[in-house]
Amino acid sequence: MINSLKFTFIVALALLLQQTLLPYWLADPFQPNLLIIFVVYLGLRGGRRGDWLLALLLGLIQDSFNGIYLGMFGFTFLTIYFLLRSMADRLYTDNMQLMILVTFIATIGAGLLQLVLLLIFSAADGLYASLFSGLLPQGLVNALAASLIFSCSIFSFLEKGR
Amino acid sequence: MWELLKKYRLVIGACTICLMVLVFYSLNLRHKREATALERTLLGVLAPLAGGAASITQGIDRMWSDYIDLVNVRAENKRLRASVTSLNGRILANQEAILANERLKKLLQLKDAVQAPTLAASVIGEDGSPWFRTLIIDRGEEDGLREGMAVVAAGGVVGQVVKVAAGSSRILLLTDHASGIAAIVQRSRARGVVKGKGGDRCSLEFTVREDDVKVGDIVITSGIGQIFPKGYPIGEVTMVKKGDYGIFQTIEIRPAVNLMRIEEVLILVKQPHD
């Protein structure tokens, strides 16, 4: 119960930062996507039975505030989660640098996956130009945000007892 | 006699001493300006000690007065800082009020100019993703908003309402890749569709090569599609490119409204066809 409350509080805080405060202070392509950092954490250090649902929920929450295509982030986050879950046992996830690198790669991967989805399912021509120009800065900013978040270990409660 | 001396010895002794001191005093009256050996010795011995004591006393005195001063200065500094902060806050609040007043005045002028019923809303959130362009406003279904309603600001077109919740909604900005608004060039009446290009850019699509479009031309809504009333400014042409082949020309538009820093919008509640 307390863990659920903690999780809700952290997600709400991240959303508030992401949607209201950070866009005001940070230039356009340098806005972090804080929720994907949670997904990376869940994928690499989670492992509880319902974590995939959390990843999906995070994606749907992100969908509710970004773009107009509900389910796009949901799918992307879920895919990222499962990919990371399948690799987590082979990676030394206690290493913070690795976590940061994976966050960067996950951001780029999620962006590319979204591009494919948008090109297939929507008529958004020319989207690749703005996506490519925004992807690398966002990846770097996410990596920076991940380094701060992981160093604080604010969601160690999500980890499965290891 | 001896008995008498013995009886008054104390008195006699005291008087003798007094007399001696008196003699000593009278003898020294002649040399009152010069220091005697005794005086010199005592001065010599006491001078360093007196100096040290004086230094310590002065030090303590200085420390005390400095401390008192410091306490006063600190208190005064605190008062001044609080005063500066309060005044700065007031200046900022005044500036903010002036700016808000100007913005709202423009919005009010627009509201008066618009024939259809309108609803003012404040922007409460932005799209966190760099490749989408949406805003969140503080009005929703409870205020009568529906999907597809046009959103304008003092400068011109902002976008369309896309997702309506009870007390808030999202606006698809005209710069989003999914946005398309029927438009005409004000000067030459050339037709086209303004499509979002991400960032803060749009383009006028489907304008044939033969149409007369120049840099600096104002692009306005055409009223086709019955979402936006006719004649609202969308933006200004910043680039026109006609290739060697192809049916259409490439036209870039800078939006009339600064969508990056928009704070208040006006929603056209009644559709033109209502």
Side-chain angles (χ1 to χ4, degrees), chain A residues 19 28 64 66-68 130, chain B residues 126-129 133 163 170 177:
Chain A
Q19 301 302 133
D28 192 25
S64 306
N66 292 275
I68 53 170
S130 42
Chain B
E126 288 183 33
D127 205 309
S129 174
R133 287 278 162 268
K163 305 215 173 192
R170 287 175 63 197
H177 287 277

Side-chain angles (χ1 to χ4, degrees), chain A residues 18-20 23-24 28 31 63-70 72-73 114 118 124-127 130-131 135 138, chain B residues 124-134 136 162-163 170 172 176-178 195-199 260-261:
Chain A
Q18 194 169 297
Q19 301 302 133
T20 58
Y24 190 80
D28 192 25
Q31 291 163 15
D63 272 320
S64 306
F65 293 95
N66 292 275
I68 53 170
Y69 311 100
L70 184 69
M72 191 183 73
F73 277 99
Q114 283 161 25
L118 286 167
D125 306 329
L127 181 79
S130 42
L131 197 142
L135 201 50
Q138 194 182 49
Chain B
I124 54 168
E126 288 183 33
D127 205 309
S129 174
W131 41 92
F132 294 120
R133 287 278 162 268
T134 61
I136 304 168
V162 281
K163 305 215 173 192
R170 287 175 63 197
L172 182 72
D176 190 281
H177 287 277
K195 299 268 287 175
K197 301 290 280 180
M260 304 292 219
R261 287 279 171 262

Side-chain angles (χ1 to χ4, degrees), chain A residues 43-89:
Chain A
L44 290 182
R45 291 204 186 171
R48 288 182 301 188
R49 210 176 289 169
D51 278 356
W52 65 272
L53 267 174
L54 278 183
L56 178 64
L57 182 70
L58 286 171
L60 293 176
I61 289 171
Q62 177 93 349
D63 272 320
S64 306
F65 293 95
N66 292 275
I68 53 170
Y69 311 100
L70 184 69
M72 191 183 73
F73 277 99
F75 173 79
T76 315
F77 282 9
L78 198 60
T79 311
I80 296 285
Y81 169 78
F82 282 128
L83 276 173
L84 292 178
R85 198 67 240 132
S86 66
M87 290 189 293
D89 293 338

